[in-house]
mmCIF file of all heavy atoms in Angstrom:
data_model
loop_
_atom_site.group_PDB
_atom_site.id
_atom_site.type_symbol
_atom_site.label_atom_id
_atom_site.label_comp_id
_atom_site.label_asym_id
_atom_site.label_seq_id
_atom_site.Cartn_x
_atom_site.Cartn_y
_atom_site.Cartn_z
ATOM 1 N N SER A 173 100.537 91.381 101.877
ATOM 2 C CA SER A 173 100.931 90.037 102.433
ATOM 3 C C SER A 173 102.578 90.176 102.247
ATOM 4 O O SER A 173 103.075 90.313 101.078
ATOM 5 C CB SER A 173 100.375 88.801 101.608
ATOM 6 O OG SER A 173 101.116 87.736 102.051
ATOM 7 N N LEU A 174 103.183 90.030 103.375
ATOM 8 C CA LEU A 174 104.647 89.955 103.442
ATOM 9 C C LEU A 174 105.263 88.956 102.471
ATOM 10 O O LEU A 174 106.221 89.142 101.807
ATOM 11 C CB LEU A 174 105.147 90.090 104.768
ATOM 12 C CG LEU A 174 104.804 91.270 105.698
ATOM 13 C CD1 LEU A 174 105.344 91.114 107.144
ATOM 14 C CD2 LEU A 174 105.492 92.546 105.115
ATOM 15 N N PHE A 175 104.590 87.728 102.647
ATOM 16 C CA PHE A 175 105.234 86.689 101.871
ATOM 17 C C PHE A 175 105.053 86.863 100.358
ATOM 18 O O PHE A 175 105.776 86.430 99.570
ATOM 19 C CB PHE A 175 104.569 85.348 102.406
ATOM 20 C CG PHE A 175 105.291 84.037 101.817
ATOM 21 C CD1 PHE A 175 106.480 83.687 102.336
ATOM 22 C CD2 PHE A 175 104.904 83.444 100.663
ATOM 23 C CE1 PHE A 175 107.034 82.546 101.827
ATOM 24 C CE2 PHE A 175 105.576 82.436 100.055
ATOM 25 C CZ PHE A 175 106.695 81.860 100.695
ATOM 26 N N HIS A 176 103.973 87.509 99.988
ATOM 27 C CA HIS A 176 103.797 87.889 98.659
ATOM 28 C C HIS A 176 104.721 88.745 98.055
ATOM 29 O O HIS A 176 105.358 88.681 96.985
ATOM 30 C CB HIS A 176 102.389 88.477 98.432
ATOM 31 C CG HIS A 176 102.020 88.785 96.977
ATOM 32 N ND1 HIS A 176 101.961 87.789 95.955
ATOM 33 C CD2 HIS A 176 101.824 89.987 96.295
ATOM 34 C CE1 HIS A 176 101.611 88.445 94.821
ATOM 35 N NE2 HIS A 176 101.635 89.706 95.025
ATOM 36 N N ILE A 177 105.198 89.740 99.039
ATOM 37 C CA ILE A 177 106.340 90.624 98.546
ATOM 38 C C ILE A 177 107.677 89.860 98.387
ATOM 39 O O ILE A 177 108.435 90.134 97.567
ATOM 40 C CB ILE A 177 106.428 91.740 99.608
ATOM 41 C CG1 ILE A 177 105.198 92.541 99.688
ATOM 42 C CG2 ILE A 177 107.579 92.704 99.145
ATOM 43 C CD1 ILE A 177 105.230 93.688 100.709
ATOM 44 N N ILE A 178 107.774 88.878 99.320
ATOM 45 C CA ILE A 178 108.923 88.015 99.280
ATOM 46 C C ILE A 178 108.963 87.237 97.951
ATOM 47 O O ILE A 178 110.075 87.107 97.356
ATOM 48 C CB ILE A 178 108.999 86.993 100.484
ATOM 49 C CG1 ILE A 178 109.228 87.823 101.734
ATOM 50 C CG2 ILE A 178 110.335 86.033 100.270
ATOM 51 C CD1 ILE A 178 109.209 86.955 103.063
ATOM 52 N N GLN A 179 107.932 86.670 97.550
ATOM 53 C CA GLN A 179 107.869 85.986 96.261
ATOM 54 C C GLN A 179 108.226 87.106 95.107
ATOM 55 O O GLN A 179 108.998 86.627 94.075
ATOM 56 C CB GLN A 179 106.491 85.382 96.011
ATOM 57 C CG GLN A 179 106.224 84.302 97.019
ATOM 58 C CD GLN A 179 104.818 83.820 96.753
ATOM 59 O OE1 GLN A 179 103.809 84.580 96.727
ATOM 60 N NE2 GLN A 179 104.563 82.425 96.762
ATOM 61 N N LEU A 181 109.989 89.793 95.162
ATOM 62 C CA LEU A 181 111.435 90.220 95.277
ATOM 63 C C LEU A 181 112.252 89.057 94.805
ATOM 64 O O LEU A 181 113.326 89.250 94.246
ATOM 65 C CB LEU A 181 111.732 90.682 96.667
ATOM 66 C CG LEU A 181 111.038 92.117 97.153
ATOM 67 C CD1 LEU A 181 111.491 92.332 98.574
ATOM 68 C CD2 LEU A 181 111.619 93.088 96.217
ATOM 69 N N LEU A 221 105.776 97.230 97.847
ATOM 70 C CA LEU A 221 106.687 97.853 98.840
ATOM 71 C C LEU A 221 106.218 99.278 99.083
ATOM 72 O O LEU A 221 106.480 99.818 100.231
ATOM 73 C CB LEU A 221 108.119 97.973 98.213
ATOM 74 C CG LEU A 221 108.950 96.731 98.175
ATOM 75 C CD1 LEU A 221 110.220 96.917 97.366
ATOM 76 C CD2 LEU A 221 109.218 96.137 99.594
ATOM 77 N N LEU A 224 104.235 99.006 102.403
ATOM 78 C CA LEU A 224 104.882 98.555 103.417
ATOM 79 C C LEU A 224 105.103 99.551 104.532
ATOM 80 O O LEU A 224 105.711 100.680 104.251
ATOM 81 C CB LEU A 224 106.292 97.956 102.940
ATOM 82 C CG LEU A 224 107.052 97.200 104.066
ATOM 83 C CD1 LEU A 224 106.260 95.844 104.440
ATOM 84 C CD2 LEU A 224 108.422 96.780 103.493
ATOM 85 N N CYS A 278 118.185 95.103 95.723
ATOM 86 C CA CYS A 278 117.066 94.145 95.790
ATOM 87 C C CYS A 278 117.323 93.127 96.807
ATOM 88 O O CYS A 278 116.461 92.580 97.642
ATOM 89 C CB CYS A 278 116.946 93.308 94.344
ATOM 90 S SG CYS A 278 115.680 92.113 94.389
ATOM 91 N N LEU A 279 118.620 92.719 97.181
ATOM 92 C CA LEU A 279 118.972 91.854 98.250
ATOM 93 C C LEU A 279 118.684 92.557 99.518
ATOM 94 O O LEU A 279 118.257 91.849 100.528
ATOM 95 C CB LEU A 279 120.523 91.553 98.200
ATOM 96 C CG LEU A 279 120.918 90.555 96.943
ATOM 97 C CD1 LEU A 279 122.444 90.310 97.051
ATOM 98 C CD2 LEU A 279 120.099 89.429 96.919
ATOM 99 N N VAL A 280 119.000 93.826 99.651
ATOM 100 C CA VAL A 280 118.684 94.521 100.784
ATOM 101 C C VAL A 280 117.079 94.540 101.268
ATOM 102 O O VAL A 280 116.763 94.270 102.398
ATOM 103 C CB VAL A 280 119.186 95.976 100.832
ATOM 104 C CG1 VAL A 280 118.781 96.797 102.027
ATOM 105 C CG2 VAL A 280 120.631 96.074 100.627
ATOM 106 N N LEU A 281 116.355 94.838 100.165
ATOM 107 C CA LEU A 281 114.914 94.877 100.296
ATOM 108 C C LEU A 281 114.399 93.443 100.769
ATOM 109 O O LEU A 281 113.417 93.290 101.496
ATOM 110 C CB LEU A 281 114.207 95.458 99.085
ATOM 111 C CG LEU A 281 114.433 96.818 98.742
ATOM 112 C CD1 LEU A 281 113.910 97.022 97.404
ATOM 113 C CD2 LEU A 281 113.873 97.719 99.840
ATOM 114 N N LEU A 282 114.938 92.515 100.055
ATOM 115 C CA LEU A 282 114.561 91.089 100.323
ATOM 116 C C LEU A 282 114.824 90.711 101.733
ATOM 117 O O LEU A 282 114.019 90.013 102.455
ATOM 118 C CB LEU A 282 115.387 90.177 99.435
ATOM 119 C CG LEU A 282 114.932 88.653 99.565
ATOM 120 C CD1 LEU A 282 113.362 88.421 99.233
ATOM 121 C CD2 LEU A 282 115.888 87.781 98.662
ATOM 122 N N ASP A 283 115.961 91.052 102.325
ATOM 123 C CA ASP A 283 116.305 90.779 103.662
ATOM 124 C C ASP A 283 115.374 91.585 104.719
ATOM 125 O O ASP A 283 114.970 91.069 105.755
ATOM 126 C CB ASP A 283 117.687 91.132 104.084
ATOM 127 C CG ASP A 283 118.153 90.902 105.405
ATOM 128 O OD1 ASP A 283 118.253 89.731 105.840
ATOM 129 O OD2 ASP A 283 118.407 91.689 106.131
ATOM 130 N N LEU A 284 115.222 92.864 104.385
ATOM 131 C CA LEU A 284 114.205 93.646 105.168
ATOM 132 C C LEU A 284 112.792 93.018 105.268
ATOM 133 O O LEU A 284 112.306 92.897 106.314
ATOM 134 C CB LEU A 284 114.028 95.029 104.517
ATOM 135 C CG LEU A 284 113.043 95.920 105.175
ATOM 136 C CD1 LEU A 284 113.565 96.476 106.483
ATOM 137 C CD2 LEU A 284 112.921 97.337 104.332
ATOM 138 N N VAL A 285 112.235 92.559 104.233
ATOM 139 C CA VAL A 285 110.865 91.929 104.232
ATOM 140 C C VAL A 285 110.955 90.564 104.870
ATOM 141 O O VAL A 285 110.028 90.229 105.709
ATOM 142 C CB VAL A 285 110.391 91.856 102.787
ATOM 143 C CG1 VAL A 285 108.892 91.257 102.813
ATOM 144 C CG2 VAL A 285 110.239 93.365 102.186
ATOM 145 N N CYS A 286 112.036 89.800 104.586
ATOM 146 C CA CYS A 286 112.046 88.509 105.327
ATOM 147 C C CYS A 286 112.111 88.581 106.776
ATOM 148 O O CYS A 286 111.573 87.805 107.521
ATOM 149 C CB CYS A 286 113.267 87.873 104.823
ATOM 150 S SG CYS A 286 113.106 87.119 103.096
ATOM 151 N N GLN A 287 113.071 89.528 107.298
ATOM 152 C CA GLN A 287 113.110 89.703 108.739
ATOM 153 C C GLN A 287 111.802 90.139 109.414
ATOM 154 O O GLN A 287 111.357 89.597 110.384
ATOM 155 C CB GLN A 287 114.226 90.756 109.068
ATOM 156 C CG GLN A 287 115.644 90.242 108.687
ATOM 157 C CD GLN A 287 116.646 91.268 109.295
ATOM 158 O OE1 GLN A 287 116.350 92.069 110.115
ATOM 159 N NE2 GLN A 287 117.890 91.140 108.811
ATOM 160 N N ARG A 288 111.112 90.998 108.661
ATOM 161 C CA ARG A 288 109.804 91.557 109.178
ATOM 162 C C ARG A 288 108.800 90.304 109.156
ATOM 163 O O ARG A 288 107.982 90.215 110.039
ATOM 164 C CB ARG A 288 109.340 92.714 108.394
ATOM 165 C CG ARG A 288 108.070 93.334 108.874
ATOM 166 C CD ARG A 288 107.746 94.613 108.258
ATOM 167 N NE ARG A 288 108.842 95.643 108.640
ATOM 168 C CZ ARG A 288 108.753 96.927 108.277
ATOM 169 N NH1 ARG A 288 107.660 97.300 107.705
ATOM 170 N NH2 ARG A 288 109.782 97.751 108.485
ATOM 171 N N TRP A 289 108.791 89.530 108.155
ATOM 172 C CA TRP A 289 107.903 88.507 107.963
ATOM 173 C C TRP A 289 107.992 87.380 109.124
ATOM 174 O O TRP A 289 107.114 86.971 109.688
ATOM 175 C CB TRP A 289 107.870 87.829 106.634
ATOM 176 C CG TRP A 289 106.929 86.756 106.339
ATOM 177 C CD1 TRP A 289 105.609 86.805 106.254
ATOM 178 C CD2 TRP A 289 107.329 85.375 106.186
ATOM 179 N NE1 TRP A 289 104.996 85.595 105.948
ATOM 180 C CE2 TRP A 289 106.009 84.679 106.057
ATOM 181 C CE3 TRP A 289 108.437 84.507 106.269
ATOM 182 C CZ2 TRP A 289 105.942 83.346 105.776
ATOM 183 C CZ3 TRP A 289 108.279 83.216 106.053
ATOM 184 C CH2 TRP A 289 107.169 82.536 105.841
ATOM 185 N N MET A 290 109.356 87.120 109.421
ATOM 186 C CA MET A 290 109.713 86.091 110.485
ATOM 187 C C MET A 290 109.173 86.640 111.912
ATOM 188 O O MET A 290 108.804 85.957 112.705
ATOM 189 C CB MET A 290 111.213 85.761 110.368
ATOM 190 C CG MET A 290 111.504 84.942 109.181
ATOM 191 S SD MET A 290 113.213 84.406 109.149
ATOM 192 C CE MET A 290 113.271 83.570 107.616
ATOM 193 N N VAL A 291 109.488 87.769 112.057
ATOM 194 C CA VAL A 291 109.163 88.597 113.418
ATOM 195 C C VAL A 291 107.733 88.410 113.578
ATOM 196 O O VAL A 291 107.127 88.223 114.580
ATOM 197 C CB VAL A 291 109.691 89.848 113.533
ATOM 198 C CG1 VAL A 291 109.094 90.664 114.618
ATOM 199 C CG2 VAL A 291 111.210 89.937 113.555
ATOM 200 N N GLU A 292 106.902 88.700 112.568
ATOM 201 C CA GLU A 292 105.420 88.727 112.545
ATOM 202 C C GLU A 292 105.015 87.333 112.884
ATOM 203 O O GLU A 292 104.025 87.138 113.612
ATOM 204 C CB GLU A 292 104.914 89.236 111.258
ATOM 205 C CG GLU A 292 103.260 89.313 111.250
ATOM 206 C CD GLU A 292 102.811 89.759 109.891
ATOM 207 O OE1 GLU A 292 103.544 90.589 109.201
ATOM 208 O OE2 GLU A 292 101.809 89.495 109.435
ATOM 209 N N LEU A 310 111.303 78.394 104.411
ATOM 210 C CA LEU A 310 111.947 79.416 103.533
ATOM 211 C C LEU A 310 113.407 79.263 103.844
ATOM 212 O O LEU A 310 113.980 79.854 104.746
ATOM 213 C CB LEU A 310 111.438 80.686 103.983
ATOM 214 C CG LEU A 310 111.992 81.888 103.007
ATOM 215 C CD1 LEU A 310 111.457 81.850 101.631
ATOM 216 C CD2 LEU A 310 111.431 83.212 103.782
ATOM 217 N N TYR A 321 122.369 86.452 98.895
ATOM 218 C CA TYR A 321 121.619 87.063 99.882
ATOM 219 C C TYR A 321 122.515 87.771 100.908
ATOM 220 O O TYR A 321 123.557 87.338 101.170
ATOM 221 C CB TYR A 321 120.828 85.904 100.636
ATOM 222 C CG TYR A 321 119.711 86.336 101.616
ATOM 223 C CD1 TYR A 321 118.551 86.710 101.163
ATOM 224 C CD2 TYR A 321 120.150 86.482 103.085
ATOM 225 C CE1 TYR A 321 117.656 87.098 102.170
ATOM 226 C CE2 TYR A 321 119.094 86.821 103.949
ATOM 227 C CZ TYR A 321 117.808 87.200 103.534
ATOM 228 O OH TYR A 321 116.978 87.637 104.409
ATOM 229 N N HIS A 329 119.785 98.627 106.928
ATOM 230 C CA HIS A 329 119.080 98.742 105.684
ATOM 231 C C HIS A 329 119.094 100.004 105.086
ATOM 232 O O HIS A 329 119.192 100.180 103.837
ATOM 233 C CB HIS A 329 117.651 98.017 105.767
ATOM 234 C CG HIS A 329 117.581 96.570 106.293
ATOM 235 N ND1 HIS A 329 117.618 96.301 107.568
ATOM 236 C CD2 HIS A 329 117.685 95.448 105.537
ATOM 237 C CE1 HIS A 329 117.602 94.882 107.759
ATOM 238 N NE2 HIS A 329 117.646 94.495 106.472
#
Side-chain angles (χ1 to χ4, degrees):
S173 171
L174 292 179
F175 192 80
H176 182 63
I177 302 180
I178 293 175
Q179 291 175 316
L181 289 174
L221 288 168
L224 186 65
C278 184
L279 297 182
V280 174
L281 294 172
L282 183 61
D283 181 66
L284 173 66
V285 181
C286 284
Q287 289 188 17
R288 183 168 299 190
W289 183 69
M290 292 182 179
V291 170
E292 181 179 334
L310 185 63
Y321 188 83
H329 298 90

